[in-house]
Every structure is written in C-alpha cells, then in structure tokens.
Amino acid sequence: MKRRAGNPFPGVTRVVDRHGKARWRFRMKGVPGTYLQGEYGSVEFRRAYDAAVAGTTALVAPSRHQYGTFDWLIEHYRRSPKWKKLRPISQLNLGKEFDRFSTLHGKKRVAALRTDHVEAIIGKKADTPAAANRLLKLLRRLCRFAIRKKLIVVDPTIDVERYQENPDGFHTWTEAEILQFEEYHGVSSKAVLALRLILNTGAARQDVIRLGWQSTGEGRIAYRRLKTGGDVDLPILDELAEVLRPLPTNRLLFVTHTGDRAYKPTTFGNWFHDQCVDAGLPHCSSHGLRKAGATRLADAGATELEIMAYLGHRTPDEARTYTKKANRKRLGDTGMEKVARAKREQGLSNRVERLDIHRRKVLKEKGN
C-alpha cells in the first residue's frame, strides 16, 4: 500500500468560511493561532507560516480583500498597533482619508505603484496644494507600512516633491475682522458666543463643542484637547464672561444645535463658516481664531511656553512661529524708530549749523 505523504506544513488545516471561501488556518501548541495569507505553498504562504511557527503573529480574522491591494493594506493598517495608538479623533479623520482613497484606488496593487503614478494622483489636486500634500502624506504612510508588510522594497513616494502652499495656512483673523463679525451678529448671538469661546480658550472645533459650565470653576475654564491630549486651563477674561453670564447655569454645552443638540466637529465648522460668510468674511474660519488668539498673546509679549499652554500643544514648536512674528514686528518698530530719531537729530543739527552761519554773518557785518 502506498503511504500517505506527510503534511509539509504541520499545524495547518483547510477551513471554509461563511462565504464558502477556503482559508488556511494555523494552530500549534504553545504559539498563537492565525490565518495564513496567500496561496497554499506560495512564497507569501511560506513566509506567513514561518512567522506563525515563530510565534510572531496572533489569530486574526481572514482578510476581506485580495492580498497586495491597497484595500488589503488599509485593512491591515487599521489592525496595526500604530492605528490603535492614535486618538479617536485622529482615527476618525485618517479613516475618512483612507475611505476616499480606497474608493478610487483600493483594488490596485501596491507593488505596481511608481513615482510617476504618485505624481499623477496628487497632481489631480494641484489647484488645492494643501489637499495635494495631505494626499501625498497619506500615500507615504501607506508605502512605509507596505515596506513593513514586505509588499514593496522601495518607497515610490520618496522622490515626490510637496506642492508649495501658503506658509501661514489658515487666515489669521485681524482685530478689525473680529470687530466686524461681532457688530454684524451682535454680542448676544450664538455666533459671537462661539467666537469668544474659541478666541479666549484656544479651543479647536472638536473641543469648543464640548465646553459647558462643567468646564468652569473659580473664574477659570479648563478642558483637555482631543487632538493632542494637552490640558488647557485659563482664566475667564471679561469679554468671555460677558457672553457666558446670560447662559442658564445648568447648561452642559455652551454652543448647541437647535433643540440643544450637540454639534459634531464638521457640522460646527460648516455652521461657523456660514456665520463668517454672512458677516462678509468668507476667508475666515474657526481655526483662524485660534491663530488670532495666539497672535494676541505674542504681540502682548507672551513667551513660547505661555502660548503653548493657550494652544494646548505638548511642545513649543508651533508657539515659536507666533513669537518670531511678534519679535520681527517689535524689531521692525524699534529699527524704524532709530531711523526716525536719527533724522530728527540730523534735522536739529542742520538747524544749529544754519544758525551758526547766520550768527557769523551778522557779527562780520557789525565788525565792518
């Protein structure tokens, strides 16, 4: 009788999932179980098997997408420790970017991506440089992860240049624009309440919609930024106290939808921009108010650490931008003042010299 050949991959069994698709499951005593990717016996399969035997993988659900595609890569990125370390708001925003990219390119193979492809993909957003650069950043994130997953060896985005964009980013509100907004809407309006909350707390849109009386105490307002996790604790200035005073004391949220419903960050951002448009300020945004608040601090002589505390950042890098601008402005003022003082002194010297000439002339005439 012919002997049956032994299993070349001990611990591997064939299973059929609920969709009727065959999967290869690895189970062995002392190591985590897992599903192996790739065709049975392929290079990818053998690599996955060796990793499983070494105990470097844990039991995960089989992939819903074809191996090597961007959909597959994104799915595995969402399972990675790197994804799990992101804050919920970052997962939400990055997830939306993944979904948009997947709709257009999800079925394409990562290994087929070349530098000219990357340039063409981001080139479709050339009219909006900031959006093009965000897409490039997303592709670089995926390509670095693809290298770790052994899908590619070289990052095709590495030589792709970023688009030149406005170095100042969102427009920073001027004091005249703040006054124009308040005069149009009125101090008792929800629009001005939102403006002064952002301006006096440095809250981003995802933070300002969570502020309420529970955030205040002993003349101060405090919250934790969702994006950075940084704690913000500031005194309530008079202009903020003016718009908070009329609000009911049992109000958990200062700024709400109709019917006291909570805003979502995107919905609040859209609503606030509509208020800007109505006030004749279509170029202004809620984020620009954070920058205006930081600019106020810098112009008043605040240090980088003081501005960092206002913005809720963990490092003073961003705050340094505002102090540098304020210092340039002050240095420009003192420099021009020196020029003006020199001109005044020069004018005085010329007048004295002309007076001396006149006196010498008069004395000479008297001597004759």
Side-chain angles (χ1 to χ4, degrees):
M1 177 184 286
K2 188 174 181 180
R3 296 186 62 183
R4 183 178 177 182
N7 184 357
F9 302 103
V12 175
T13 55
R14 184 178 182 272
V15 296
V16 178
D17 63 18
R18 60 189 178 90
H19 301 291
K21 188 173 182 180
R23 304 286 184 183
W24 298 102
R25 184 174 185 178
F26 171 82
R27 286 188 296 184
M28 183 176 289
K29 187 175 181 179
V31 294
T34 187
Y35 288 95
L36 304 180
Q37 302 295 330
E39 296 293 331
Y40 185 83
S42 66
V43 173
E44 177 194 357
F45 178 90
R46 291 173 181 272
R47 186 183 297 121
Y49 177 78
D50 291 340
V53 171
T56 57
T57 60
L59 182 62
V60 294
S63 175
R64 297 183 295 108
H65 303 288
Q66 184 179 358
Y67 172 80
T69 62
F70 278 104
D71 278 341
W72 182 93
L73 186 65
I74 289 172
E75 179 186 20
H76 282 73
Y77 190 95
R78 290 178 186 265
R79 296 177 182 176
S80 69
K82 193 174 185 66
W83 171 267
K84 293 175 182 177
K85 290 178 181 178
L86 295 175
R87 297 187 178 278
I89 187 65
S90 298
Q91 288 184 348
L92 177 64
N93 294 333
L94 182 57
K96 290 179 179 179
E97 293 183 26
F98 278 155
D99 291 341
R100 286 192 292 268
F101 183 82
S102 182
T103 299
L104 297 174
H105 308 285
K107 305 303 180 186
K108 299 175 183 177
R109 299 191 67 81
V110 181
L113 186 68
R114 301 196 307 267
T115 299
D116 55 323
H117 294 153
V118 177
E119 292 174 341
I121 290 171
I122 68 172
K124 293 180 180 180
K125 295 184 176 292
D127 293 337
T128 51
N133 289 335
R134 282 197 301 272
L135 182 54
L136 177 59
K137 182 179 179 180
L138 180 73
L139 279 167
R140 283 180 173 158
R141 181 191 295 266
L142 288 174
C143 287
R144 287 196 297 267
F145 188 66
I147 291 175
R148 291 180 56 192
K149 302 299 288 185
K150 304 294 192 296
L151 294 182
I152 57 176
V153 178
V154 179
D155 181 357
T157 70
I158 199 166
D159 292 326
V160 178
E161 296 182 356
R162 289 169 50 87
Y163 280 84
Q164 186 69 34
E165 56 183 290
N166 180 5
D168 293 329
F170 287 93
H171 169 71
T172 303
W173 291 56
T174 65
E175 294 297 333
E177 289 168 341
I178 293 171
L179 181 61
Q180 179 178 329
F181 185 94
E182 293 197 348
E183 288 180 344
Y184 177 84
H185 288 288
V187 176
S188 61
S189 66
K190 182 172 76 172
V192 171
L193 169 63
L195 176 138
R196 291 195 180 182
L197 274 170
I198 298 172
L199 193 59
N200 287 275
T201 66
R205 60 183 184 178
Q206 64 266 26
D207 301 315
V208 71
I209 59 176
R210 297 184 299 118
L211 295 178
W213 284 119
Q214 73 282 358
S215 309
T216 67
E218 299 181 357
R220 304 184 69 82
I221 186 165
Y223 66 95
R224 174 168 291 179
R225 286 208 63 199
L226 281 179
K227 183 177 180 180
T228 64
D231 291 321
V232 178
D233 189 341
L234 301 168
I236 298 177
L237 300 184
D238 290 342
E239 69 170 4
L240 178 57
E242 180 184 9
V243 294
L244 293 182
R245 200 174 295 117
L247 300 179
T249 55
N250 62 344
R251 195 161 182 172
L252 294 179
L253 299 175
F254 289 140
V255 182
T256 58
H257 248 311
T258 305
D260 285 341
R261 291 179 295 122
Y263 273 109
K264 293 181 179 179
T266 302
T267 309
F268 171 82
N270 293 337
W271 168 80
F272 190 80
H273 186 257
D274 289 341
Q275 309 312 303
C276 295
V277 173
D278 292 344
L281 302 167
H283 55 291
C284 292
S285 66
S286 58
H287 186 77
L289 279 176
R290 275 171 46 84
K291 299 177 68 175
T295 300
R296 277 184 172 182
L297 287 169
D299 289 344
T303 66
E304 295 172 3
L305 293 178
E306 289 169 335
I307 297 174
M308 180 186 75
Y310 164 81
L311 293 172
H313 289 163
R314 291 187 174 277
T315 66
D317 294 342
E318 184 67 21
R320 194 169 294 121
T321 302
Y322 297 99
T323 56
K324 282 183 178 179
K325 287 183 178 180
N327 288 338
R328 281 200 298 269
K329 183 178 179 180
R330 282 193 287 269
L331 290 172
D333 290 345
T334 56
M336 295 306 294
E337 175 58 31
K338 289 177 180 178
V339 172
R341 185 165 60 249
K343 284 184 174 293
R344 289 194 299 269
E345 292 174 353
Q346 183 179 3
L348 178 62
S349 175
N350 290 340
R351 286 196 297 273
V352 171
E353 184 178 352
R354 287 194 295 271
L355 178 60
D356 288 345
I357 293 174
H358 176 72
R359 290 177 62 187
R360 286 197 299 271
K361 185 177 180 181
V362 171
L363 292 173
K364 184 176 181 181
E365 290 176 352
K366 286 183 178 181
N368 292 337

